[in-house]
Amino acid sequence: NLISVGGGLYIESNAALTNVDGLASLITISGNLHIESNAALCEASVLALAAGWTVSGSQQISNNRGTCP
């Protein structure tokens, strides 16, 4: 299980991405976090998951327009 990212995490412009459930065990990101412009991704789910992460750099979570369950 992935618990730490030793740099930035960027997930951007992936029209087919519907969830980020694979990041559920993530605890720390030692850089920037950008999850943006993913047409099928539910932003509320991403925000809820990211609330439990410690991010050293900037955070940008926006324009994820998927239907939320």
Side-chain angles (χ1 to χ4, degrees):
N1 294 336
L2 181 66
I3 59 170
S4 179
V5 174
L9 176 60
Y10 297 85
I11 301 171
E12 300 175 338
S13 301
N14 186 334
L17 184 66
T18 59
N19 68 66
V20 289
D21 295 347
L23 301 175
S25 61
L26 188 60
I27 299 169
T28 59
I29 299 170
S30 299
N32 299 329
L33 170 64
H34 290 211
I35 302 177
E36 304 178 273
S37 302
N38 299 289
L41 186 60
C42 168
E43 188 151 324
S45 296
V46 175
L47 290 169
L49 188 59
W53 300 339
T54 300
V55 180
S56 298
S58 67
Q59 294 185 51
Q60 182 67 34
I61 298 173
S62 64
N63 292 324
N64 300 294
R65 299 175 185 225
T67 303
C68 295

